[in-house]
């Protein structure tokens, strides 16, 4: 079997076009332009790239997009002061603080200071609680798992009854919300992590595999049940030497070429989950703007 390549980039483009069209309607009919504020602290090169891509995508969707770049040594009080201003700014519907933060800042205090109604990353405890309770009508679901679910639905339809799903990784931003979303669609869930014994044999039971580990090419073909759908969340930078020349490239947690021999569909890295994550951020921001106007999300 040669698996289908799930084209997250193409799907993200398609969704972004729909978001752009809905944004134009919201502006025309209600005079509201979705506003996204991104706060970046320090000079981390990967974070700079992510933030640039988010800003570019927000502008392409027709959003009001602002970026606040703060010095590496900014005080926690100043960060909280900025978030307070953004919480009270009616032109801003979504606030995102790019992680990771410098060590002297407390991630939890900062993330939880964003109003739940503007928490388009879905990291506020109110949004996590609503997702866990299945009350998603007015909650924001974290962007990466939200994008993964759409790609799995494209392969399996909206209901995963009778399917076993194995998630590798139990982080708050991917593994745990992914489990809630898969369970809501009636999959039977196993969440694995670094203390799981004999991980390959657990994964071999899965019709749906979501790998969010941060270990390059860890998942191999002999871990995969024939016909499984495999979603690779991992983004790892590795050095590879070809013809004597060493180059840096991105790879996922799944050994793509190997797993494609057994699975029915696999997301590539890059071009899979990453572009969907950014588009789901735009979707959450549009939703927030609509909810702020009393319209259905
Ligand atoms: P975390 O580091 O927060 O979590 C990693 C998880 O993997 C932990 O639960 C850890 O277990 C588990 N783990 C580590 N080693 C093993 C192992 N050998 N076997 C089984 N489980 C293991 O990472 P994130 O969830 O934040 O991110 C995971 C990956 O996804 C990263 O590569 C990240 O860059 C990428 N990512 C990509 C996004 C995108 O948009 N495409 C968005 C977010 C993340 P334990 O809990 O026991 O330590």
């Amino acid at each position: 079997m040669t698996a289908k390549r799930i084209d997250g980039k193409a799907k993200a483009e398609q969704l972004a076009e729909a978001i752009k069209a809905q944004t134009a309607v919201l502006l025309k009919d209600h005079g509201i332009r979705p506003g996204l504020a991104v706060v970046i602290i320090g000079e981390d090169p990967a974070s700079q790239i992510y933030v640039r891509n988010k800003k570019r995508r927000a502008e392409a969707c027709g959003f009001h997009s602002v970026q606040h770049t703060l010095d590496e040594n900014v005080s926690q009080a100043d960060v909280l002061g900025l978030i307070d201003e953004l919480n009270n700014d009616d032109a801003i519907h979504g606030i995102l603080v790019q992680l990771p933060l410098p060590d002297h800042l407390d991630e939890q205090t900062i993330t939880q200071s964003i109003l739940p109604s503007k928490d388009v990353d879905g990291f506020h405890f109110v949004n996590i609680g609503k997702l866990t309770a299945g009350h998603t009508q007015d909650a924001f679901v974290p962007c990466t798992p939200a994008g993964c679910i759409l790609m799995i639905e494209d392969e399996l339809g909206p209901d995963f009854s009778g399917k076993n799903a194995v998630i590798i990784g139990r982080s708050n931003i991917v593994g745990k919300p992914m489990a809630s979303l898969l369970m809501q669609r009636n999959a039977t869930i196993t969440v694995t992590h670094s203390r799981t014994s004999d991980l390959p044999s657990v994964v071999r039971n899965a019709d749906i595999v979501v790998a969010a580990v941060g270990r390059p090419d860890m998942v191999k073909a002999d871990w995969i049940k024939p016909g499984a759908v495999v979603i690779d969340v991992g983004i790892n930078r590795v050095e590879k030497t070809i013809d004597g020349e060493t180059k840096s490239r991105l790879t996922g947690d799944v050994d793509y070429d190997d797993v494609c021999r057994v699975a029915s569909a696999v997301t590539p890295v890059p071009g899979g989950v990453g572009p969907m994550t950014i588009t789901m951020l735009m979707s959450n921001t549009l939703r927030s703007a609509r909810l702020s106007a009393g319209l259905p999300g």
Side-chain angles (χ1 to χ4, degrees):
M1 175 181 281
T2 300
K4 171 184 161 189
R5 178 181 185 276
I6 300 176
D7 191 343
K9 190 162 180 264
K11 187 170 177 64
E13 292 291 337
Q14 208 181 358
L15 286 170
E17 281 305 312
I19 291 168
K20 185 179 170 185
Q22 287 183 33
T23 297
V25 171
L26 187 65
L27 184 61
K28 183 166 150 288
D29 292 353
H30 300 276
I32 297 170
R33 186 187 290 282
L36 175 65
V38 178
V39 179
I40 176 164
I41 303 166
E43 303 288 329
D44 178 55
S47 295
Q48 303 273 350
I49 295 171
Y50 292 141
V51 164
R52 200 165 52 233
N53 289 341
K54 286 167 187 172
K55 189 163 196 302
R56 209 174 278 159
R57 179 59 87 189
E59 285 166 358
C61 287
F63 290 5
H64 166 55
S65 164
V66 291
Q67 181 177 329
H68 293 270
T69 306
L70 305 182
D71 187 81
E72 177 87 32
N73 299 314
V74 67
S75 71
Q76 174 132 323
D78 283 351
V79 179
L80 294 176
L82 172 61
I83 292 174
D84 188 49
E85 269 175 40
L86 296 169
N87 278 341
N88 289 299
D89 183 344
D90 289 343
I92 297 298
H93 304 96
I95 304 169
L96 176 153
V97 178
Q98 184 66 42
L99 302 178
L101 297 175
D103 288 345
H104 69 284
L105 298 175
D106 182 46
E107 183 179 311
Q108 190 148 306
T109 305
I110 289 174
T111 337
Q112 300 308 313
S113 71
I114 297 171
L115 276 180
S117 59
K118 296 192 178 189
D119 166 43
V120 284
D121 255 339
F123 295 165
H124 196 284
F125 293 153
V126 167
N127 285 315
I128 295 170
K130 284 182 175 177
L131 171 61
T132 309
H135 188 89
T136 46
Q137 300 89 316
D138 64 347
F140 293 109
V141 173
C143 302
T144 300
C148 293
I149 278 289
L150 291 186
M151 291 192 284
I152 301 169
E153 283 180 347
D154 279 352
E155 302 308 313
L156 301 176
D159 186 350
F160 309 155
S161 292
K163 304 286 184 199
N164 291 327
V166 171
I167 302 161
I168 316 176
R170 57 176 163 180
S171 70
N172 288 335
I173 64 169
V174 189
K176 286 176 193 160
M178 195 72 231
S180 295
L181 291 171
L182 286 163
M183 206 180 334
Q184 279 160 23
R185 284 155 184 78
N186 300 317
T188 302
I189 317 297
T190 307
V191 180
T192 64
H193 43 78
S194 66
R195 309 296 176 90
T196 300
S197 74
D198 196 4
L199 183 60
S201 76
V202 178
V203 177
R204 266 194 291 273
N205 193 34
D207 305 293
I208 301 165
V209 180
V210 180
V213 191
R215 294 191 175 250
D217 301 335
M218 183 178 90
V219 178
K220 303 291 183 191
D222 63 359
W223 296 32
I224 299 296
K225 178 175 173 179
V229 173
V230 180
I231 305 293
D232 189 356
V233 178
I235 302 178
N236 309 290
R237 192 160 280 284
V238 294
E239 305 277 305
K240 197 166 186 187
T241 305
I242 301 168
D243 297 335
E245 198 187 348
T246 304
K247 281 190 175 166
S248 164
R249 68 177 183 103
L250 290 182
T251 189
D253 293 339
V254 172
D255 187 336
Y256 181 83
D257 291 335
D258 195 32
V259 164
C260 276
R261 295 189 290 113
V262 185
S264 65
V266 187
T267 59
V269 177
V273 174
M276 284 296 286
T277 297
I278 295 183
T279 298
M280 296 320 290
L281 176 68
M282 303 308 141
S283 171
N284 277 351
T285 306
L286 171 64
R287 216 161 147 252
S288 174
R290 289 180 58 84
L291 290 168
S292 76
L295 299 165

